[in-house]
Coordinates of all heavy atoms in Angstrom, one line a residue:
K15 N 123.0 -30.7 -39.3 CA 123.9 -31.8 -39.7 C 123.7 -32.4 -41.1 O 124.6 -33.0 -41.6 CB 123.9 -32.9 -38.6 CG 124.3 -32.5 -37.3 CD 124.2 -33.6 -36.2 CE 124.5 -33.2 -34.8 NZ 124.3 -34.2 -33.8
T53 N 107.7 -34.6 -23.3 CA 106.8 -35.7 -23.6 C 106.9 -36.0 -25.1 O 106.9 -37.3 -25.4 CB 105.4 -35.3 -23.2 OG1 105.3 -34.9 -21.9 CG2 104.4 -36.4 -23.5
G73 N 96.9 -56.2 -46.0 CA 95.5 -56.1 -46.1 C 94.7 -55.5 -45.0 O 95.4 -55.3 -43.9
P123 N 99.0 -43.2 -38.8 CA 97.7 -42.5 -38.4 C 96.7 -43.4 -37.9 O 95.9 -43.0 -37.0 CB 97.4 -41.7 -39.7 CG 98.7 -41.5 -40.4 CD 99.5 -42.7 -40.2
P187 N 60.8 -47.1 -15.0 CA 60.9 -47.1 -13.5 C 60.6 -48.4 -12.8 O 61.1 -48.7 -11.7 CB 59.9 -46.0 -13.1 CG 59.0 -45.9 -14.1 CD 59.8 -46.2 -15.4
G226 N 57.9 -39.2 -20.0 CA 57.4 -38.5 -21.1 C 58.0 -37.3 -21.6 O 57.7 -36.7 -22.5
H272 N 65.7 -52.2 -28.5 CA 65.1 -52.2 -27.1 C 66.1 -52.9 -26.2 O 65.7 -53.9 -25.4 CB 63.7 -52.9 -27.0 CG 62.7 -52.2 -27.8 ND1 62.5 -52.4 -29.2 CD2 61.9 -51.1 -27.6 CE1 61.5 -51.6 -29.7 NE2 61.1 -50.8 -28.6
G291 N 62.3 -42.2 -11.7 CA 62.3 -41.5 -13.0 C 62.4 -40.0 -13.0 O 62.3 -39.4 -14.0
R302 N 72.6 -25.2 -22.5 CA 73.9 -25.1 -21.8 C 74.4 -26.5 -21.3 O 75.5 -26.7 -21.4 CB 73.8 -24.1 -20.7 CG 75.1 -23.8 -19.9 CD 75.1 -22.6 -19.1 NE 76.1 -22.5 -18.2 CZ 76.1 -22.8 -17.0 NH1 75.1 -23.3 -16.4 NH2 77.2 -22.8 -16.2
A327 N 104.4 -31.1 -41.3 CA 105.8 -31.0 -41.1 C 106.5 -32.2 -41.7 O 107.5 -32.1 -42.3 CB 106.0 -30.9 -39.7
G432 N 107.2 -39.4 -55.4 CA 106.2 -39.0 -54.4 C 105.0 -40.0 -54.5 O 104.3 -40.1 -53.5
V484 N 75.6 6.6 -31.4 CA 75.9 7.7 -32.4 C 77.3 7.7 -32.8 O 77.8 7.8 -34.0 CB 75.3 9.1 -31.9 CG1 75.9 10.1 -32.8 CG2 73.9 9.0 -31.9
L531 N 95.4 -7.9 -41.2 CA 94.7 -9.2 -40.9 C 93.5 -8.9 -39.8 O 92.5 -9.5 -40.0 CB 95.7 -10.2 -40.3 CG 96.8 -10.7 -41.3 CD1 97.8 -11.5 -40.5 CD2 96.1 -11.5 -42.4
A583 N 100.3 -16.1 -33.0 CA 101.0 -17.1 -32.3 C 102.5 -17.3 -32.8 O 103.4 -17.3 -32.1 CB 100.4 -18.5 -32.4
F584 N 102.5 -17.1 -34.1 CA 103.9 -17.1 -34.8 C 104.7 -15.9 -34.4 O 105.9 -16.0 -34.0 CB 103.7 -17.1 -36.4 CG 104.9 -17.6 -37.1 CD1 104.7 -18.2 -38.4 CD2 106.2 -17.5 -36.7 CE1 105.7 -18.6 -39.2 CE2 107.2 -18.0 -37.4 CZ 107.1 -18.5 -38.7
A667 N 114.2 -39.2 -48.7 CA 114.6 -38.2 -47.7 C 115.9 -38.8 -47.0 O 116.1 -38.3 -46.0 CB 113.5 -37.8 -46.9
G689 N 138.1 -38.4 -72.1 CA 137.9 -37.9 -73.4 C 136.9 -38.7 -74.2 O 136.8 -38.7 -75.4

Side-chain angles (χ1 to χ4, degrees):
K15 295 178 181 178
T53 302
H272 298 91
R302 184 163 166 261
V484 168
L531 296 173
F584 202 154

